[in-house]
């Protein structure tokens, strides 16, 4: 009979067609990935603008009206600037510059280290400087000298510590390099104690950078938050109090709840300056205020209080207008992550078919190992696979249709030849 060869040829043709068909690609729904949340864009150039900068959201409180020439409110944890006014305006910093001095010199000597003061270390202290009472010939612990710097704003203690760290000029250079490394580009250091000097300037932005960086150092934080301490004077000691009234509540200035401290300052050229940090729950703010134009000598504390209150109230209800992080770090943080190559997952039936095809090709060359399927089944406890088992589900629909069509064509050809030949 002619039907069997025809069927065999039709089946072989159908199998060849199946091998030539492309593997169906995965649907778009199978490879879709969730869109990552948008990162808040922080434009560092916005803080270069003059005037007040703030981006309120719905329900945000209004900025307080303060008279300072320059001020800034920032999140100490993230460095995000919540609001500012003339953030990069260069102004004399007075003793708030001692924050940069501490960042630079603190790591070089242990708190318990002792130092005997020499006469030359107290030379060149500016007239009218604030002093803690360091005396030549006496021996002090380094921690005592730092209490003198932070609590009494003692320029005499600064001079001694600067001498221990390379001298006055070297200290100025070290502080300048430290400021640059932190991205504080407005600061020019001439006198490490903050005493008025030609060309010496800083900004509300830079002071906030110094304070935020200092709060990451336990020693800095301990000194700047100390309200009272004893200062040695040979065979006896006397008490000193921190001149930051928001910390101590002195002179009729109410203490601010949760205040950590940091540093205040005053000179005739700088006016009153202040950089403070306060914590409410898990939130910590840094506020810097430079040279209030009204309200008397204690206005700097009251304006800082208003800005702290506003910052805690506005938390989560304003978009940041800048960052205290260096520009290179900010750019790195805002750079979108490199996209991972998306690989379409191959359906299990296709993977099994591909694996089976590869194995069949190897066996076609070398021949099947006798009893291989039975041995594998015995090892796993499963039944031996049927040699000619057809695939199930949707994957079987296309091959069966092609085979059926081929068989139908072969049968038609056989019938035509058998009965057609008789008719002729």
């Amino acid at each position: 009979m002619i039907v069997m060869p025809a069927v065999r040829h039709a089946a072989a043709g159908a199998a060849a067609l199946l091998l030539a068909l492309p593997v169906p690609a995965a649907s778009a729904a199978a490879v879709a990935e969730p869109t990552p949340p948008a990162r808040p864009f922080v434009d560092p150039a916005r803080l270069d603008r003059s005037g007040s900068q703030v981006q309120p959201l719905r329900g945000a409180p209004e900025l307080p009206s303060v008279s300072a020439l320059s001020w800034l409110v920032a999140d100490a944890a993230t460095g995000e600037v919540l609001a500012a006014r003339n953030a990069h305006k260069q102004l004399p910093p007075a003793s708030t510059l001692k924050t940069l001095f501490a960042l630079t010199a603190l790591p070089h000597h242990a708190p318990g280290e002792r130092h005997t003061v020499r006469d030359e270390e107290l030379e060149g202290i500016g007239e009218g400087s604030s002093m803690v009472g360091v005396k030549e010939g006496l021996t002090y612990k380094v921690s005592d000298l730092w209490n003198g710097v932070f609590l009494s704003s003692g320029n005499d203690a600064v001079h001694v510590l600067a001498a221990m760290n390379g001298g006055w000029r070297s200290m100025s250079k070290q502080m300048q390099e430290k400021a640059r490394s932190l991205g504080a580009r407005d600061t020019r250091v001439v006198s490490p104690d903050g005493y008025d000097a030609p060309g010496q300037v800083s900004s509300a932005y830079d002071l906030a950078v110094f304070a935020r960086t200092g709060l990451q150092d336990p020693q800095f934080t301990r000194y700047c938050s100390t309200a009272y301490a004893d200062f040695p004077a040979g065979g006896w000691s006397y008490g000193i109090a921190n001149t930051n009234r928001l910390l101590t509540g002195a002179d009729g200035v109410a203490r601010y709840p949760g205040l950590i401290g940091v540093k205040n300052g005053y000179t005739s050229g700088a006016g009153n300056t202040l950089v403070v940090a306060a914590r409410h729950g898990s939130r910590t703010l840094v506020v810097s205020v430079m040279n209030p134009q009204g309200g008397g000598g204690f206005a700097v504390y009251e304006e800082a209080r208003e800005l702290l209150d506003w910052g805690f109230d506005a938390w989560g209800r304003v978009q940041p207008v800048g960052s205290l992080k260096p520009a290179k770090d900010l750019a790195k943080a805002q750079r979108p992550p490199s996209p991972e190559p998306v690989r379409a997952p191959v359906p299990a039936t296709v993977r099994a078919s591909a694996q089976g095809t590869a194995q069949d090709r190897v066996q076609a060359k070398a021949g099947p190992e006798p009893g291989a399927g039975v041995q594998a089944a015995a090892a796993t406890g499963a039944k031996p696979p049927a040699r000619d088992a057809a695939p199930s589900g949707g994957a079987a629909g296309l091959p069966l249709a092609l085979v059926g069509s081929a068989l139908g064509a072969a049968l038609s050809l056989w019938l035509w030849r058998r009965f057609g030949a008789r008719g002729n």
Side-chain angles (χ1 to χ4, degrees):
M1 293 179 64
I2 196 172
V3 64
M4 294 308 297
V7 170
R8 284 198 296 268
H9 286 300
L17 180 60
L18 284 175
L19 291 175
L21 290 175
V23 177
S27 65
V31 298
E33 293 186 354
T35 303
R39 298 183 179 182
F41 175 74
V42 179
D43 181 10
R46 179 162 186 152
L47 293 180
D48 290 323
R49 304 174 191 171
S50 60
S52 298
Q53 303 299 323
V54 65
Q55 293 190 95
L57 299 175
R58 185 181 185 89
E62 292 187 9
L63 282 175
S65 177
V66 297
S67 66
L69 296 179
S70 178
W71 55 263
L72 183 143
V73 182
D75 180 341
T78 65
E80 292 178 346
V81 178
L82 306 185
R85 176 178 175 81
N86 302 329
H88 289 292
K89 185 178 181 64
Q90 293 181 318
L91 297 166
S95 285
T96 51
L97 191 64
K98 290 181 171 75
T99 55
L100 176 60
F101 173 71
L103 292 178
T104 308
L106 256 175
H108 297 163
H109 297 276
E113 180 181 336
R114 294 182 175 273
H115 177 77
T116 301
V117 178
R118 303 188 303 270
D119 292 349
E120 58 269 25
E121 293 173 348
L122 296 175
E123 293 176 356
I125 298 176
E127 184 179 352
S129 289
S130 53
M131 311 277 275
V132 67
V134 176
K135 302 296 183 183
E136 63 274 9
L138 294 183
T139 300
Y140 298 88
K141 291 191 299 184
V142 168
S143 59
D144 293 328
L145 295 173
W146 281 117
N147 280 333
V149 171
F150 277 96
L151 277 68
S152 297
S153 205
N155 288 0
D156 48 355
V158 173
H159 272 254
V160 173
L161 287 165
M164 296 171 62
N165 287 276
W168 203 244
R169 290 186 179 179
S170 175
M171 196 73 246
S172 299
K173 183 179 179 180
Q174 293 176 53
M175 290 171 63
Q176 193 68 67
E177 292 173 350
K178 183 67 173 180
R180 293 294 172 270
S181 72
L182 297 174
R185 56 185 172 87
D186 306 318
T187 299
R188 303 290 182 273
V189 180
V190 179
S191 184
D193 54 5
Y195 192 81
D196 286 340
Q200 179 156 280
V201 291
S202 191
S203 67
Y205 179 92
D206 286 8
L207 293 179
V209 168
F210 303 152
R212 177 176 181 261
T213 304
L215 293 176
Q216 299 170 30
D217 180 354
Q219 283 193 81
F220 183 104
T221 305
R222 182 172 66 254
Y223 290 126
C224 81
S225 60
T226 300
Y228 304 97
D230 290 328
F231 194 80
W236 61 291
S237 63
Y238 53 90
I240 57 175
N242 200 311
T243 55
N244 182 351
R245 274 86 172 173
L246 282 183
L247 183 64
T248 62
D251 300 319
V253 177
R255 296 178 60 184
Y256 191 84
L259 195 83
I260 298 172
V262 191
K263 195 71 189 75
N264 60 311
Y266 172 82
T267 64
S268 57
N272 287 282
T273 59
L274 177 66
V275 56
V276 291
R279 181 183 297 114
H280 285 179
S282 61
R283 302 170 179 174
T284 301
L285 290 180
V286 171
V287 167
S288 53
V289 180
M290 301 189 76
N291 201 351
Q293 299 298 289
F298 296 153
V300 69
Y301 299 110
E302 299 308 326
E303 294 191 1
R305 183 194 308 278
E306 292 181 60
L307 292 171
L308 284 169
D309 287 344
W310 175 86
F312 286 117
D313 193 22
W315 199 292
R317 295 193 283 177
V318 294
Q319 292 280 10
V321 295
S323 174
L324 299 181
K325 295 180 179 179
K328 57 182 179 62
D329 294 344
L330 180 61
K332 182 178 180 180
Q334 294 186 157
R335 187 182 303 129
S338 300
E340 292 290 336
V342 178
R343 295 181 176 86
V346 181
T349 54
V350 176
R351 287 198 301 268
S353 176
Q355 292 170 358
T357 302
Q359 293 171 359
D360 290 343
R361 289 173 182 170
V362 174
Q363 292 177 359
K365 293 182 179 180
E369 182 180 351
V374 177
Q375 292 172 2
T380 59
K383 293 183 178 180
R387 179 176 298 275
D388 297 324
S392 61
L398 182 59
L400 290 177
L402 290 174
V403 172
S405 298
L407 290 174
L411 181 60
S412 299
L413 178 61
W414 176 75
L415 291 173
W416 177 81
R417 286 183 177 180
R418 181 173 181 180
F419 295 104
R422 291 180 180 182
N424 289 336

